[in-house]
Every structure is written in C-alpha cells, then in structure tokens.
C-alpha cells in the first residue's frame, strides 16, 4: 500500500547518518542563507531577496506611482479650460527647468524614474507571487479560507494586469498616436494633446474601456493605499480609521477625476 510512513531501511539510516556526520565535520551551512556568496551582495539587493524587502519595494514604488496618477489626473483637469490650456501645460512639462536644464531633460529624468518604479513594482509583485506559491503549493480548497482576504486583495494581481494592459493601449493612443486615429478621422499631432484626447474618447468603445480600466485602477489603488501601511510596518489599529479614509479618499479622487474625462467628451462638454 502506498501512502503513510514507509519503514526506514538500514541503508537509508546509514547514509543519513553519514550525511549528518559529514556536514557536522565540515561545518557546512545548513541552509542557503549563510552561503558566502550571499555576503558579497550589496545591501539593497540582499534586503530585496527577502519577502519583507519585496513588500517594502512594492510599497515605496506604489507610493511613487500613486503620486504620478494623482498629479497626472490633476494636470489633465486643464482640459476643462480648453485646448490652449491643456496643450500649453503639456509644452510646459517638456520645458521643465529650461533654460537651467536642456529642453526635455527633466521630463526624461522623471520618465526614467517612473519607469524604474513601474518595473520594480511589477517585479516585486511577480516574485512575491512566486514565493507565496513555493510556500503554499496546494491551493486553498474552500472559499471560507478566504475569510480574511476581501475581494480587492484577492484580485490585486488581475486588476494590476488589466491596468498595465490599459497603460500599453494608453501610450499607443495618446503618446505614440499609433491607435489614436483608428476608427476616426484626423491626424495625430504629438503637441495637440487636447485634440488627441477628444479624438480618442469620441470613440465610445475606447471611452468605455478607459472608464472600466479606471474603475479597476480605483479598486487596485484602494487596496494598495490601505496595505502599504502594513508593508511599511505602520499598522497600529489606532490608525485604521485614518488608513481607511486615506485609501478610500485617494482612490475616489483619482477615479472620479479620470472617468470624468471620457464622460465629458461623450457628453459633448469637452469638444474640439
Ligand atoms: C482618462 C484618464 C487619462 C487621461 C485623459 C490621460 C491623458 C494622457 C495624455 C494626453 C498623455 C500624453 C501626454 C503628452 O504627450 O504630453 C498621457 C500620457 C501618459 N499617461 Fe495618461 N491619461 C489618463 C489616465 C492615465 C492613467 C490611469 C495612467 C496610469 C495608470 C496614465 C499613465 C500615463 C503615462 C505613463 C503617460 C506617459 C507620460 C509621458 O510620456 O511623459 N494615464 N496621458
């Protein structure tokens, strides 16, 4: 019969004893954590190799990305003032600190930082998932096991992946213009940001996709903004009411602002 405990053979016992004696005699490390090559790794890489370090990386990169989505939304509010204001604002971003710094230099540095934060966020999420799977190879069998995890926390991976695919579309649409003129008339001119936005959202399936993606972004942000405090170790129950208010308020502001843009174009409030 298979299963249950197999009787230990004398050969097995002998080889096990030999292994123990050998490792004791040579004083080799018992686990991989004490390998000498690990000691040479830079401090930050060493921290990042642990689950706690990855959670820190998720939280810090998450804060940077939250800052970006908030300021991006606030900047886009300029479209309510008309084409001149929004296009001027986009031109202003490209000339940040000019003539102190060359034209576009500061914007490219900010873009580099943003990209680094995005890559770090995605890598930490992916490697934490791998670590969790290795720690628990058998999936939960009953939905009751999920009692402590709410909908947002269980779907972070999926909401994150959909927001990421939205971002790919978004860049092809409004930054590179590759899909901006598909199904519509007109020419994509990089500097005419206002006209590009209106042209894009005039297509209702695109507007609907933006609304859906931003609702998912809201769910993702809401849980991320709540759990980053936990990841950074600031999870005293006395602050829970503040954490709740901050996470809910922040995600609502970003989502309401962002979904107002496609709605305003569809409703004819923002038009060319
Ligand atoms: C309906 C909401 C949104 C609108 C109207 C909007 C609008 C725009 C526009 C017009 C640009 C091009 C700017 C330029 O070329 O000067 C842009 C770029 C960008 N957007 Fe959005 N955006 C929205 C939501 C988002 C969200 C939710 C994210 C992130 C998840 C995002 C991430 C980006 C990024 C990374 C860029 C490239 C920035 C750069 O190249 O400097 N956007 N957006």
């Amino acid at each position: 019969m298979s299963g249950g405990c197999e009787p230990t053979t004398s050969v097995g016992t002998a080889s096990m004893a030999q292994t123990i004696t050998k490792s004791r005699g040579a004083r080799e490390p018992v686990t991989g954590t004490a390998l000498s090559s690990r000691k040479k790794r830079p401090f930050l890489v060493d921290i990042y190799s642990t689950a706690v370090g990855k959670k820190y990386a998720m939280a810090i990169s998450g804060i940077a990305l939250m800052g970006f989505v908030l300021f991006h939304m606030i900047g886009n509010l300029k479209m309510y003032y008309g084409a001149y204001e929004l296009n001027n604002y986009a031109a202003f971003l490209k000339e940040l600190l000019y003539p102190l710094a060359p034209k576009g230099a500061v914007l490219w540095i900010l873009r580099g930082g943003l990209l680094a934060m995005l890559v770090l966020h995605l890598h930490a999420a992916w490697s934490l998932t791998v670590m969790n799977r290795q720690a628990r190879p058998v999936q939960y069998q009953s939905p009751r096991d999920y009692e402590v995890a709410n909908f947002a926390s269980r779907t972070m991976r999926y909401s994150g992946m959909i927001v990421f695919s939205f971002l790919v579309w978004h860049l092809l649409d409004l930054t590179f213009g590759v899909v901006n003129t598909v199904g519509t008339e007109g020419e994509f001119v990089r500097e005419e940001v206002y006209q590009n936005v209106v042209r894009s959202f005039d297509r209702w399936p695109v507007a609907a996709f933006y609304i859906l993606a931003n609702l998912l972004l809201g769910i993702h942000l809401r849980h991320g903004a709540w759990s980053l405090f936990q990841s950074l170790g600031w999870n005293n129950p006395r602050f829970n009411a503040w954490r709740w208010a901050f996470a809910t308020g922040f995600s609502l502001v970003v989502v309401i602002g962002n979904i107002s843009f496609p709605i305003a174009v569809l409703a004819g409030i923002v038009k060319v």
Side-chain angles (χ1 to χ4, degrees):
M1 199 177 91
S2 66
C5 291
E6 299 263 333
T8 315
T9 64
S10 56
V11 178
T13 317
S15 71
M16 202 190 297
Q18 214 178 3
T19 315
I20 292 167
T21 318
K22 194 181 158 198
S23 69
R24 276 188 190 151
R27 285 200 171 273
E28 279 169 0
V30 181
T31 68
T33 52
L35 289 175
S36 57
S37 64
R38 254 185 128 250
K39 282 185 192 155
K40 288 182 207 136
R41 287 199 291 197
F43 175 67
L44 286 177
V45 177
D46 212 31
I47 289 200
Y48 187 68
S49 67
T50 67
V52 174
K54 289 186 205 303
K55 291 209 164 197
Y56 256 90
M58 288 241 38
I60 292 165
S61 55
I63 292 170
L65 296 171
M66 281 166 65
F68 170 78
V69 288
L70 179 66
F71 284 104
H72 190 48
M73 186 281 289
I74 293 173
N76 284 332
L77 287 173
K78 294 241 177 297
M79 82 177 70
Y80 290 116
Y81 291 107
Y84 177 79
E85 288 289 334
L86 186 66
N87 294 352
N88 227 15
Y89 170 67
F92 156 80
L93 287 180
K94 282 180 189 111
E95 293 185 7
L96 269 179
L97 288 188
Y98 175 80
L100 196 63
K103 272 189 191 173
V106 176
L107 186 63
W108 275 108
I109 292 169
L110 291 175
R111 281 173 175 158
L114 184 66
L115 185 65
M117 289 297 123
L118 182 66
V119 170
L120 183 61
H121 202 69
L122 294 176
H123 186 268
W126 172 77
S127 52
L128 271 172
T129 306
V130 172
M131 271 182 146
N132 286 345
R133 291 222 171 113
Q134 280 166 352
R136 190 186 168 84
V138 181
Q139 293 289 308
Y140 286 119
Q141 299 299 308
S142 147
R144 278 172 301 160
D145 291 322
Y146 278 132
E147 265 169 17
V148 289
N150 63 21
F151 174 77
S153 70
R154 276 184 283 132
T155 51
M156 281 306 266
R157 213 169 296 147
Y158 305 106
S159 57
M161 284 190 293
I162 295 172
V163 170
F164 181 71
S165 44
F166 155 79
L167 187 59
V168 174
W169 168 276
H170 184 52
L171 294 180
L172 291 175
D173 185 13
L174 296 175
T175 299
F176 302 111
V178 181
V179 294
N180 189 260
T181 50
V182 175
T184 181
E185 282 169 16
E187 191 195 346
F188 177 85
V189 179
R190 185 80 170 76
E191 288 71 30
E192 293 183 354
V193 174
Y194 179 92
Q195 289 82 347
N196 298 338
V197 170
V198 173
R199 188 182 308 114
S200 181
F201 295 162
D202 255 339
R203 302 167 293 180
W204 74 261
V206 174
F209 176 51
Y210 267 79
I211 294 169
L212 180 73
N214 275 287
L215 289 174
L216 286 167
L217 172 72
I219 295 173
H220 193 85
L221 277 178
R222 164 78 182 71
H223 183 72
W226 164 264
S227 51
L228 70 87
F229 292 96
Q230 195 108 8
S231 303
L232 295 173
W234 305 329
N235 57 342
N236 190 312
R238 278 188 300 147
F239 302 136
N240 278 356
W242 285 102
R243 279 173 73 188
W244 191 92
F246 168 73
T248 309
F250 183 90
S251 46
L252 275 179
V253 165
V254 171
V255 171
I256 292 174
N258 274 350
I259 66 172
S260 79
F261 304 130
I263 291 174
V265 173
L266 286 182
I269 299 166
V270 171
K271 55 181 184 242
V272 189

